[in-house]
Amino acid sequence: MCKIKKYSIDFHLINNQVITLEAERNSEKELKDELEKAKGFYVVGNGAVNLANVKKYKIKATV
């Protein structure tokens, strides 16, 4: 059984804004796979982002 970890995802949008969302997943790989497969909006507990407006994203592990 894997321990759930918290991650912060910075989404850099095409209008140069940055939206930060928090997610809990078993691993960073699981989170990356989920983001690669997502279409439309990516929704987590503290918000959502329209993936059509995302230039890039960065994932950081949080404590």
Side-chain angles (χ1 to χ4, degrees), residues 2-38:
C2 293
K3 183 179 178 189
I4 301 291
K5 299 175 185 167
K6 292 185 180 186
Y7 296 94
S8 173
I9 313 160
D10 292 334
F11 292 95
H12 297 262
L13 307 181
I14 56 177
N15 64 359
N16 295 324
Q17 289 182 320
V18 177
I19 295 175
T20 302
L21 299 178
E22 303 289 328
E24 293 182 354
R25 299 293 182 271
N26 289 325
S27 68
E28 187 172 329
K29 182 183 181 323
E30 179 184 340
L31 183 55
K32 283 182 182 178
D33 289 346
E34 186 177 312
L35 285 167
E36 294 295 321
K37 293 176 186 174

